[in-house]
Amino acid sequence: MAGYVGVLVSDPWLQNQFTQVELRSLKSSFMAMRRESDGGLKLAELPEKMSRLKHVGETLTENERAAFLQDSYQNLDVDVDFELFLRVYLKLQTLATEKRGIGAKNASAFLKSPTSTLLHTISEPEKASYVAHINNYLGEDEFLKKYLPLDAATNDLFEIAKDGVLICKLINVAVPGTIDERAINTKRVLNPWERNENHTLCLNSAKAIGCTVVNIGTQDFIEGRRHLVLGVISQIIKIQLLADLNLKKTPQLVELVGDSTDVEELMNLPPEKILLRWMNFQLKKGGYTKTVTNFSSDVKDAEAYAHLLNVLAPEHSNPSTLKVKDPLERAKLVLEHADKMGCKRYLTAKDIVEGSPNLNLAFVAHIFQHRNGLSTQTKQISFLETLPDDAQTSREERVFRFWLNSLGNSSYIDNVFEDLRNGWLLLETLDKVSPGIVNWKITSKPPIKMPFRKVENCNQVVKIGKQLKFSLVNVAGNDIVQGNKKLILAYLWQLMRFNMLQLLKHLRSHSHGKEITDADILEWANSKVRNSGSQSRMDNFKDKKLSDGIFFLELLSAVRPRSVNWSLVTKGSNEEEKKMNATYIISIARKLGCSIFLLPEDIIEVNIKMMLTLTASIMHWTLKQPVEDRACGASDTETGSLVDSSSNSTLDDTASESSTDDSSSN
């Protein structure tokens, strides 16, 4: 059991950042450093000691590592345990990656990872803007109102964020219903365990709405690490502000395009790009000849804003706005115009002329929400009725997109059908789930101008898939390049499932290299629930009895007693009760430490793929816990049942394909 991951690391977030092999290697390095320091290793010694570590030691100088520690920790004379060592290593790894130029230049301006900066400074104007936003949207919250309004001039924001409640509530403002608030620990004074649970729930839920939280852990929130806390809050608020920038929420956006081909292109754009297109559409109406391509240099003279507001709210226009020579004065007049419109804004004239991209984007998004100036004529909108509306495809795309973004690839994915077509991000993901499997010598890195280079990348993606025994009959690289939705979703499901089964296989101390099957996961779950004294069981992952949620609540209760408050559980006898249970299941699982991306509807409808991923995620979390912490005192027979199974029965690839076919035909 010495190599068991749960024994090495108890923090669930840290466990998710490393493979078992990586943890053993880092543990060996850590122990060697401690021995050299006569058994006690101090933070101040790490800059010199970490020079031997690959990547961190090769890319960063000792002075850079020392500067990072001095900036991040007040006291460098503390003893370093293995978990603190791992946290420092992850942060330095991020800095080293940034220094080498990997990741940052390809990341979208919308939702960049908050850790991708060498200088851990924060923008005071941004902090003030986010504080104003929080005061506005959460000021009446029953629990938080005794702490609000926050004062932007103080560190109130970071102090209140330390118990996790604020950010959980903010996630629900951005995407209502993401977190079941019954799962949030909201006592006035929380113990460290309850606080950690809230942060775990918060981080897993942030990933599930599309935030990038790579290399951010619960400890960062508990310590109030300002640049990381503000980075997560920034992403959540952006998601809220840009939520209506799609044809489903705002069908009037169809006015921006001419025909069905353009509509499909518009549907595939990230919300930030749609906002720019909308802005330029309105500016053209007002006779503004320049094209705005960003929310920084192109708007800092405030001329575009003046024209935009004149188009949207001519009744409040001021002729002086375009006559003044000083950009700062013009910006002030623009904000007066916005105030008269009743448009909420959280930036100053100085923020406009300094070209703050985040605050200017937020300002334009507020204007769009308040008055978008688009036609409400049904004739225009009826155009959308000819487009296929496949809710299941859309839901699956969302799951895979958020899963891929959670892995920390070099670019943020806004749409899997568009952003995977050159094959690069798929190759990166394959290399993460099966290190060394990609032949990087024959790949082409974006930007890729020659179409055949994209096909070469995607051909390797298909070839590796076949190596991993994916079902890819009559699939070629060009199918991915062409954006074939059905094939891309089928490939991503098999990739996600392979990753999941590999994680489980590596955690099994008795596996002896045997593969884990879907039948093993099913048996494990039934065994857990049975041994807890319940009569519930699931026959398979499409068992309609699962729709009431009771089985999964009993499974969660079996792996962590007292995790479920049974007084909050319904019988699941109607749709409303089922949804309440499903929402509660997802939040409790995330609170434990499961990284899952399904929606309550997936449980209610018994989506076969999501039932498997949910069960496997709970199993993965359980197996990572130290043996002494595992609930219900599982016997060797119980925990060994997976590998003793001779069944090769799987949901596998044929089931994946048939379930995709079934859903698309509905």
Side-chain angles (χ1 to χ4, degrees):
M1 270 314 210
Y4 185 71
V5 175
V7 174
L8 294 177
V9 180
S10 60
D11 186 320
W13 177 81
L14 278 174
Q15 293 167 3
N16 283 328
Q17 307 307 309
F18 302 96
T19 66
Q20 189 177 27
V21 173
E22 289 169 336
L23 275 175
R24 283 175 176 162
S25 174
L26 287 167
K27 182 75 171 183
S28 175
S29 298
F30 170 71
M31 295 306 293
M33 292 178 197
R34 285 193 61 182
R35 283 194 295 273
E36 290 170 8
S37 302
D38 297 324
L41 184 64
K42 303 288 186 184
L43 259 178
E45 298 177 78
L46 289 184
E48 184 268 322
K49 300 284 187 190
M50 283 187 156
S51 61
R52 69 188 68 173
L53 298 179
K54 190 177 178 183
H55 191 37
V56 164
E58 294 170 354
T59 308
L60 298 174
T61 66
E62 185 175 332
N63 286 340
E64 285 171 332
R65 294 192 293 272
F68 162 78
L69 285 174
Q70 287 165 3
D71 180 60
S72 303
Y73 300 94
Q74 293 180 343
N75 182 10
L76 297 182
D77 196 40
V78 299
D79 289 323
V80 179
D81 61 16
F82 185 46
E83 292 196 0
L84 178 56
F85 174 81
L86 291 176
R87 289 193 189 94
V88 172
Y89 174 78
L90 284 170
K91 308 292 184 199
L92 289 174
Q93 195 176 47
T94 300
L95 300 187
T97 299
E98 170 67 15
K99 186 178 179 183
R100 289 168 60 181
I102 300 171
K105 66 182 179 182
N106 290 325
S108 167
F110 169 56
L111 297 187
K112 269 190 184 175
S113 168
T115 59
S116 62
T117 174
L118 280 166
L119 298 173
H120 296 320
T121 57
I122 66 167
S123 162
E124 288 298 331
E126 283 192 30
K127 184 182 89 169
S129 171
Y130 302 148
V131 164
H133 185 94
I134 288 166
N135 288 338
N136 182 43
Y137 282 92
L138 289 172
E140 296 304 312
D141 180 84
E142 202 57 42
F143 177 78
L144 292 173
K145 64 184 180 184
K146 53 181 171 283
Y147 305 106
L148 301 181
L150 300 173
D151 182 353
T154 68
N155 281 326
D156 284 357
L157 174 61
F158 307 111
E159 288 303 313
I160 194 173
K162 287 182 178 180
D163 69 6
V165 177
L166 175 78
I167 299 182
C168 284
K169 299 265 189 180
L170 193 61
I171 287 171
N172 271 355
V173 170
V175 184
T178 299
I179 296 175
D180 188 327
E181 297 202 1
R182 297 174 297 175
I184 305 173
N185 298 320
T186 53
K187 293 190 310 191
R188 190 172 182 86
V189 179
L190 299 177
N191 62 42
W193 179 255
E194 292 166 331
R195 195 177 296 127
N196 189 71
E197 282 186 329
N198 279 351
H199 292 311
T200 303
L201 172 60
C202 156
L203 286 172
N204 282 319
S205 300
K207 281 193 284 188
I209 64 169
C211 293
T212 302
V213 294
V214 179
N215 291 348
I216 301 177
T218 58
Q219 196 64 26
D220 295 313
F221 287 96
I222 292 166
E223 293 173 1
R225 301 283 295 282
R226 302 196 312 161
H227 64 292
L228 296 178
V229 173
L230 205 65
V232 173
I233 289 173
S234 166
Q235 293 184 74
I236 295 167
I237 290 175
K238 284 179 186 175
I239 288 170
Q240 177 192 344
L241 294 178
L242 299 178
D244 292 340
L245 281 149
N246 58 72
L247 287 169
K248 186 176 180 182
K249 292 280 185 71
T250 313
Q252 297 89 347
L253 283 166
V254 75
E255 192 181 343
L256 305 185
V257 297
D259 57 38
S260 58
T261 307
D262 292 335
V263 170
E264 189 140 358
E265 180 194 340
L266 185 71
M267 291 171 73
N268 290 330
L269 285 177
E272 182 182 16
K273 298 292 186 188
I274 295 177
L275 190 62
L276 281 171
R277 184 174 286 199
W278 166 81
M279 187 175 180
N280 285 310
F281 175 80
Q282 300 295 358
L283 288 172
K284 194 174 179 181
K285 286 185 189 175
Y288 189 71
T289 55
K290 298 176 186 174
T291 299
V292 176
T293 62
N294 58 62
F295 294 105
S296 183
S297 58
D298 286 359
V299 295
K300 63 198 305 185
D301 62 6
E303 283 187 20
Y305 285 149
H307 282 90
L308 177 65
L309 296 184
N310 283 344
V311 170
L312 297 175
E315 70 274 19
H316 300 304
S317 62
N318 181 345
S320 303
T321 307
L322 288 167
K323 290 179 182 176
V324 296
K325 302 295 183 187
D326 181 10
L328 187 63
E329 286 303 311
R330 188 182 303 115
K332 289 178 181 176
L333 291 171
V334 162
L335 293 180
E336 286 178 14
H337 194 159
D339 285 340
K340 288 174 184 174
M341 288 169 60
C343 179
K344 280 280 180 190
R345 47 95 179 174
Y346 307 122
L347 83 173
T348 65
K350 186 182 177 187
D351 297 326
I352 291 176
V353 298
E354 288 183 350
S356 169
N358 284 341
L359 295 184
N360 277 295
L361 182 148
F363 181 48
V364 178
H366 273 297
I367 295 170
F368 177 86
Q369 285 185 342
H370 188 72
R371 190 179 297 193
N372 62 39
L374 297 171
S375 170
T376 55
Q377 294 178 10
T378 52
K379 185 178 178 183
Q380 293 265 6
I381 298 169
S382 64
F383 185 25
L384 292 173
E385 294 174 4
T386 61
L387 296 172
D389 179 24
D390 190 341
Q392 183 62 32
T393 295
S394 176
R395 205 190 298 169
E396 286 196 19
E397 186 274 338
R398 172 192 172 279
V399 167
F400 296 136
R401 171 163 37 97
F402 291 163
W403 171 65
L404 289 167
N405 284 330
S406 76
L407 300 177
N409 287 316
S410 63
S411 296
Y412 187 86
I413 298 169
D414 290 296
N415 184 302
V416 299
F417 304 128
E418 287 298 310
D419 298 345
L420 301 183
R421 287 170 63 174
N422 63 22
W424 182 259
L425 289 172
L426 282 171
L427 290 169
E428 282 191 344
T429 304
L430 285 162
D431 200 52
K432 285 179 184 294
V433 303
S434 185
I437 201 165
V438 176
N439 182 356
W440 292 108
K441 292 179 182 178
I442 60 171
T443 62
S444 298
K445 188 176 181 180
I448 306 172
K449 294 181 180 178
M450 303 298 290
F452 76 92
R453 295 291 185 196
K454 297 179 184 179
V455 175
E456 286 176 346
N457 279 356
C458 292
N459 281 341
Q460 188 177 177
V461 167
V462 173
K463 181 182 177 183
I464 292 171
K466 289 177 178 175
Q467 273 180 250
L468 300 177
K469 297 185 170 52
F470 294 179
S471 176
L472 298 170
V473 180
N474 297 325
V475 177
N478 196 48
D479 292 315
I480 298 173
V481 176
Q482 296 301 317
N484 185 310
K485 292 184 178 182
K486 183 178 177 181
L487 293 180
I488 289 172
L489 289 178
Y491 190 99
L492 287 174
W493 162 241
Q494 293 179 81
L495 180 57
M496 186 181 190
R497 178 178 169 276
F498 173 81
N499 180 54
M500 189 169 54
L501 296 179
Q502 289 300 108
L503 289 172
L504 290 172
K505 176 184 172 183
H506 292 320
L507 283 179
R508 295 312 309 246
S509 57
H510 306 298
S511 68
H512 305 299
K514 291 183 181 178
E515 299 300 324
I516 302 294
T517 69
D518 301 354
D520 294 329
I521 298 169
L522 181 72
E523 171 54 29
W524 174 85
N526 281 326
S527 175
K528 275 288 179 188
V529 171
R530 183 172 62 249
N531 288 350
S532 72
S534 171
Q535 300 301 309
S536 294
R537 63 171 281 109
M538 61 171 161
D539 297 330
N540 48 52
F541 293 109
K542 56 185 177 183
D543 188 340
K544 292 300 180 185
K545 296 194 299 293
L546 297 175
S547 69
D548 64 14
I550 301 299
F551 179 84
F552 287 113
L553 288 164
E554 291 187 334
L555 177 59
L556 288 165
S557 185
V559 300
R560 173 53 62 80
R562 296 181 297 280
S563 62
V564 176
N565 181 345
W566 287 99
S567 67
L568 303 176
V569 175
T570 73
K571 293 180 180 178
S573 53
N574 56 47
E575 289 300 303
E576 185 180 349
E577 289 188 350
K578 287 178 180 179
K579 186 160 188 177
M580 289 178 70
N581 283 354
T583 307
Y584 191 49
I585 289 164
I586 293 169
S587 290
I588 292 298
R590 286 178 180 152
K591 186 176 176 180
L592 289 184
C594 299
S595 183
I596 48 177
F597 303 94
L598 75 167
L599 294 170
E601 290 79 5
D602 292 315
I603 296 176
I604 297 167
E605 296 167 12
V606 193
N607 180 314
I608 187 171
K609 297 176 185 175
M610 295 303 106
M611 296 302 92
L612 171 60
T613 56
L614 173 60
T615 312
S617 296
I618 297 170
M619 179 180 177
H620 182 243
W621 176 83
T622 306
L623 293 179
K624 285 192 303 183
Q625 305 315 300
V627 174
E628 61 272 18
D629 288 351
R630 291 197 204 165
C632 303
S635 66
D636 287 344
T637 306
E638 179 196 338
T639 55
S641 64
L642 292 188
V643 294
D644 293 333
S645 169
S646 58
S647 169
N648 289 319
S649 166
T650 60
L651 252 172
D652 57 31
D653 317 319
T654 51
S656 306
E657 289 172 358
S658 62
S659 67
T660 304
D661 292 341
D662 291 343
S663 63
S664 62
S665 63
N666 289 335

